[in-house]
Amino acid sequence: AFSEEIIGAKMNRIAVLISGSGTNLQAILDAVSSGLISKGRVVGVVSNKKDAYGLERARLAGVPAQVFSLFAFTKEGRTRDEYDAELAKVVNGLQPDMVVLAGWMLVLSPTFLNQFPSTPIINLHPALPGMFAGVKAIERAYDAFQKGEVTQTGCMVHRVIPEIDAGQTVAVATVPIHKEDTLEDLEKRMHEAEHVLIVQAVNVILDDISK
């Protein structure tokens, strides 16, 4: 790994939050490794699920990874608000210049977001802006296509605000739906688009904060 001194420019610190297999995390790690992302590096990964394979991806890349489970937290009788406050401390401990939600499946409340007044937080969502906010977006787009309600779908990366999937769009990609597609076909095509888009969006933010 290059040192910040060798590069001669500040390497921005990226924290990534995950809940699952971590394929979008892998896309970011690969882009940092190849130099496609050149102004930042992943300094820590946090998962709310202890069995998320993304934790292993982080370890294989030599990136510190930790589990911060909502289930374990609420089992102790603590509130969701307290969880968000503690999660903010965990993420702040990584001293991030940006935070990426890459398959993070919990809504972040103002309790969390208010702890990052000047730190960009971005989220990947598998739908076009203004379409299919919330869960099962790919499945809902597929069903809408079958009914003739949409002709395509897509994915976006947006800045995170308290309203779900409604923040300012950072990057967007359209994804076609073909009449012979199964849901699995569409999911595969969507994930391929996501892996490209998440890297583009990270670079947009890095360019912005490096000005």
Side-chain angles (χ1 to χ4, degrees), residues 95-141:
Q95 299 178 294
D97 295 298
M98 70 179 294
V99 179
V100 181
L101 312 185
W104 174 260
M105 298 307 291
L106 297 175
V107 176
L108 294 174
S109 72
T111 301
F112 178 93
L113 298 175
N114 291 344
Q115 299 306 309
F116 300 90
S118 60
T119 304
I121 302 175
I122 59 172
N123 178 56
L124 175 71
H125 182 64
L128 293 170
M131 305 282 287
F132 309 112
V135 298
K136 297 190 175 176
I138 302 174
E139 194 176 313
R140 285 156 60 206

Side-chain angles (χ1 to χ4, degrees), residues 125-127 137-138 141 153-155 173 175 185-195:
H125 182 64
I138 302 174
T153 184
C155 48
V175 174
D185 291 333
L186 179 58
E187 286 173 337
K188 182 171 184 289
R189 194 176 304 123
M190 182 72 82
H191 294 323
E192 287 167 357
E194 288 174 355
H195 300 161

Side-chain angles (χ1 to χ4, degrees), residues 10 45 65 101 123 148 174:
K10 177 176 182 275
V45 171
L101 312 185
N123 178 56
T174 56

Side-chain angles (χ1 to χ4, degrees), residues 6 10 42 45 52 56 71 75 95 113 118 127 145 169 197 201:
I6 291 172
K10 177 176 182 275
V42 180
V45 171
E56 183 63 19
F71 176 75
K75 214 164 101 174
Q95 299 178 294
L113 298 175
S118 60
F145 177 81
T169 303
L197 191 71

Side-chain angles (χ1 to χ4, degrees), residues 11-91:
M11 283 293 273
N12 292 289
R13 298 171 63 84
I14 304 168
V16 183
L17 275 55
I18 63 165
S19 296
S21 65
T23 57
N24 288 302
L25 166 65
Q26 190 67 59
I28 296 169
L29 293 169
D30 290 348
V32 170
S33 180
S34 71
L36 197 56
I37 292 175
S38 62
K39 295 178 181 176
R41 61 192 173 94
V42 180
V43 294
V45 171
V46 181
S47 172
N48 68 308
K49 301 280 188 186
K50 67 177 188 298
D51 56 354
Y53 185 70
L55 292 164
E56 183 63 19
R57 294 180 190 275
R59 291 187 188 106
L60 289 169
V63 173
Q66 57 188 305
V67 178
F68 195 69
S69 166
L70 174 61
F71 176 75
F73 204 82
T74 52
K75 214 164 101 174
E76 296 171 2
R78 302 173 78 183
T79 67
R80 176 59 203 275
D81 219 36
E82 288 175 305
Y83 174 85
D84 276 18
E86 290 297 317
L87 176 65
K89 288 180 188 171
V90 169
V91 176

